[in-house]
Amino acid sequence: MVEMMKAVRLHAFGGPEVLRYEDAPRPVPAPGEVLVRVHAIGLNPPDWYLRDGYRSLPPEWQPRPTFPLIPGSDVSGVIEAVTDGVEGFRVGDEVFAMVRFPRDVMEGSKAYAEYVSVPASDLALKPAGIDHIHAAGAPMSLLTAWQFLIELGHDEPNPFQASRHAPVPLAGKTVLVNGAGGGVGHLAVQLATWRGARVIAVASGKNEELMRDLGADRFIDHTGTAAHEVVRDVDLVLDTVGGADTGRFLRTLKRGGALFPVYPMGFAGYGEAERLGVTVSTTQVRSSGAQLAQAAPLLDDGTVRVVLDSTFPLADASDAHERAARGSIQGKIVLTAV
Ligand SMILES: NC(=O)c1ccc[n+]([C@@H]2O[C@H](COP(=O)([O-])OP(=O)(O)OC[C@H]3O[C@@H](n4cnc5c(N)ncnc54)[C@H](OP(=O)(O)O)[C@@H]3O)[C@@H](O)[C@H]2O)c1
């Protein structure tokens, strides 16, 4: 008999209203995977890109998955079962993960559910010092900030450029983080501070107090001041907003500096970057239990804090997507599943 669970599924692409809370078969973990009883699910932009059918991509790149599908990648929960070949994890362990990303980016990693199967290589023990809600907010945003700023951690091909992305030394450097109040941004501010950088945080005004609390040395409200008009001679810009306009930050950098657009689509300023002696580099985040385990002590002792924008019950995932669609997210939106 098939065991069932509650999950949020899509039967077609569309707006937040296509997210349906309903019964679905409980996953059966493959060899090398564990079954996790999900306590909380962190939301990320790929969740709404997929819900919408990746409409911004050319039609030939858009996903054609088998419906119904379960979206979501970031979870924190408790191991319910382990399979052959899994080492280092036991039933009852509290764990967190970004599940099969980017492998399952076009069909969903099935995290919006009471149970999810997770490759052991994507998992790490949840830091005891934080609860499941905060742990679920960490994986994709933290791994993104980590892989851009601290260590890439893999040799897989880079879908955005021919070369391997290489983080740069941060100690004693000036780092501008654009989109600093968002999921990736608020964690990047803290990682750069931890590594000894002087941080300029660029975000909307409501984030100022938070940014100073998280270690930023200077705050620029992008709704009143264009950061690229007033900042010069920085060593690194991490632009979590990115897009075609990311090139405006080239003029804020020293010769020898670097621009890292986290969302690189549309950037065409490679010639100008070369003339200015600035490196432009990006990458695509990848699941890594090993890196989550490396970062876990920072979450555990509060060196890096996951800030919560809002929480919603799993059953109200469509409300959580409505919140995301209004933008100006401060930290993370998280669903609770217990
Ligand atoms: N390369 C990768 O593998 C990778 C991985 C993760 C994410 N991403 C991409 O990175 C982007 C950010 O992801 P996220 O999870 O951090 O999103 P998020 O949580 O929605 O954060 C985006 C932040 O940008 C701020 N913002 C919007 N317009 C701005 C502007 N003009 N200037 C400065 N800040 C602005 C928003 O708040 P305020 O307007 O209130 O400041 C918000 O806090 C997304 O496009 C995502 O797809 C890429």
Side-chain angles (χ1 to χ4, degrees), residues 22-288:
E22 59 190 15
D23 292 322
R26 191 191 282 196
V28 177
E33 293 186 338
V34 306
L35 183 67
V36 173
R37 171 63 175 100
V38 176
H39 283 230
I41 303 125
L43 269 58
N44 291 284
D47 301 4
W48 35 96
Y49 301 157
L50 178 61
R51 189 208 70 220
D52 228 12
Y54 275 90
R55 273 192 305 174
S56 63
L57 292 179
E60 63 276 19
W61 292 359
Q62 288 173 1
R64 286 181 183 70
T66 308
F67 290 109
L69 66 80
I70 303 176
S73 61
D74 285 8
V75 292
S76 183
V78 177
I79 295 183
E80 178 94 0
V82 297
T83 58
D84 290 347
V86 171
E87 284 175 17
F89 295 101
R90 287 180 308 197
V91 170
D93 281 347
E94 296 190 312
V95 289
F96 68 142
M98 177 174 79
V99 185
R100 290 184 295 268
F101 198 92
R103 201 197 84 179
D104 285 0
V105 65
M106 292 304 191
E107 61 203 63
S109 295
K110 305 177 177 57
Y112 284 22
E114 290 179 322
Y115 292 88
V116 65
S117 291
V118 184
S121 57
D122 295 354
L123 274 184
L125 294 175
K126 178 182 80 63
I130 61 171
D131 60 19
H132 287 293
I133 296 177
H134 289 82
M140 181 177 288
S141 294
L142 183 58
L143 287 170
T144 303
W146 193 272
Q147 291 170 16
F148 269 87
L149 294 179
I150 309 295
E151 192 186 14
L152 184 64
H154 66 81
D155 287 316
E156 297 298 326
N158 187 332
F160 300 128
Q161 63 190 33
S163 58
R164 188 176 188 270
H165 172 74
V168 295
L170 299 176
K173 301 291 169 65
T174 301
V175 178
L176 183 150
V177 178
N178 188 43
V184 176
H186 85 292
L187 297 172
V189 165
Q190 296 175 80
L191 288 180
T193 302
W194 167 62
R195 279 298 172 104
R198 176 178 173 272
V199 174
I200 304 172
V202 183
S204 62
K206 69 172 184 183
N207 293 291
E208 177 161 11
E209 198 183 323
L210 174 67
M211 289 297 115
R212 298 210 186 270
D213 228 36
L214 298 182
D217 299 274
R218 182 175 170 194
F219 177 80
I220 296 174
D221 177 355
H222 69 78
T223 62
T225 306
H228 62 277
E229 303 286 4
V230 297
V231 174
R232 290 289 177 273
D233 286 336
V234 302
D235 298 284
L236 173 65
V237 172
L238 182 78
D239 182 6
T240 76
V241 181
D245 289 343
T246 192
R248 72 192 184 283
F249 286 112
L250 289 172
R251 70 185 83 157
T252 69
L253 286 154
K254 280 179 186 157
R255 185 161 277 278
L259 169 63
F260 293 169
V262 177
Y263 184 83
M265 308 305 180
F267 173 69
Y270 290 97
E272 186 186 355
E274 203 176 330
R275 274 195 307 284
L276 293 170
V278 166
T279 302
V280 179
S281 180
T282 187
T283 187
Q284 182 175 43
V285 67
R286 293 192 80 82
S287 294
S288 172

